[in-house]
Amino acid sequence: MRYSRFIRWSHALTAVAITFQLAISLAMDHPHPDKPMTIDGGLYFRWHEWAGLAALAILACWWIYSLINWKRESQGRLFPWVASPGRLSLVRETGQFLLLRWTNIPEDGALVGTIHGLGLLIASAMVITGGVLYVALGPQDTVTSPVNSLMNLHSFLSTFMWVYLCGHAFMALWHQYMGHGSLARVFKL
């Protein structure tokens, strides 16, 4: 499937932003009501905030563009489970996957679309919770009980983002290795 230049750029920018976000989260401190952040950890936290706001902007632009161009860009394939034919295709392709008949799974089918759609939903949930945290913490990084709960949710979601990112990167490399030219097509910006 051929993607528009906007979709390819959005994918590339989102991949960079999320990878940076996850990497920097390993070194940063976060606001805590009982202990101050270290100087380095606080700096990394600020970088995490700024990159998170950039990721929020990128994904917001993607959602707006995709909703406006839903049919032209075939964005419905990201969420095939919303229609009966998509659900049937998803069940069939999942069965092929579980039986290790991977060559029978279409490259732009329901299973692939579902995986991309789930990644998009996870990333969107991450940037939304991060954006709300940015506003809720305020300039003094004040941690209240609801803010702490939201920070825990944001952290919980990051586990799924790590799994998705690693799996997505592995599958992209696997497809490239198998000669599908996936990476060249995706990143032909």
Side-chain angles (χ1 to χ4, degrees):
M1 171 166 227
R2 175 88 173 129
Y3 296 101
S4 70
R5 184 175 298 273
F6 179 84
I7 295 293
R8 291 191 314 268
W9 271 103
S10 297
H11 185 265
L13 291 172
T14 301
V16 169
I18 287 173
T19 302
F20 179 79
Q21 289 286 92
L22 290 173
I24 202 78
S25 72
L26 298 175
M28 72 178 202
D29 283 344
H30 59 83
H32 193 277
D34 299 328
K35 66 175 187 156
M37 291 188 278
T38 64
I39 293 173
D40 290 343
L43 176 66
Y44 296 143
F45 178 73
R46 294 293 169 237
W47 289 358
H48 185 80
E49 283 183 318
W50 297 329
L53 293 173
L56 177 60
I58 293 164
L59 283 170
C61 289
W62 182 90
W63 277 107
I64 292 166
Y65 176 86
S66 294
L67 291 173
I68 291 170
N69 298 289
W70 192 263
K71 288 187 178 182
R72 183 169 57 103
E73 291 283 346
S74 301
Q75 295 303 325
R77 76 176 205 83
L78 293 173
F79 310 106
W81 62 83
V82 299
S84 181
R87 285 190 295 273
L88 291 173
S89 294
L90 183 58
V91 167
R92 185 176 55 255
E93 291 172 24
T94 302
Q96 295 297 313
F97 178 81
L98 294 174
L99 294 172
L100 304 178
R101 297 180 184 152
W102 297 341
T103 56
N104 295 345
I105 300 171
E107 202 172 311
D108 59 350
L111 181 60
V112 173
T114 296
I115 291 167
H116 283 104
L118 289 174
L120 184 63
L121 292 175
I122 294 167
S124 297
M126 290 288 302
V127 298
I128 290 168
T129 57
V132 172
L133 278 170
Y134 179 79
V135 172
L137 284 169
Q140 301 302 317
D141 293 329
T142 306
V143 179
T144 62
S145 181
V147 168
N148 192 51
S149 296
L150 190 57
M151 286 170 58
N152 289 335
L153 174 61
H154 187 71
S155 179
F156 176 72
L157 290 170
S158 72
T159 303
F160 294 100
M161 195 74 249
W162 272 109
V163 170
Y164 179 81
L165 179 68
C166 294
H168 193 63
F170 174 77
M171 290 307 294
L173 293 171
W174 175 258
H175 280 286
Q176 187 68 27
Y177 173 75
M178 294 302 291
H180 300 154
S182 309
L183 292 177
R185 280 196 321 275
V186 169
F187 289 110
K188 183 180 178 190
L189 303 174

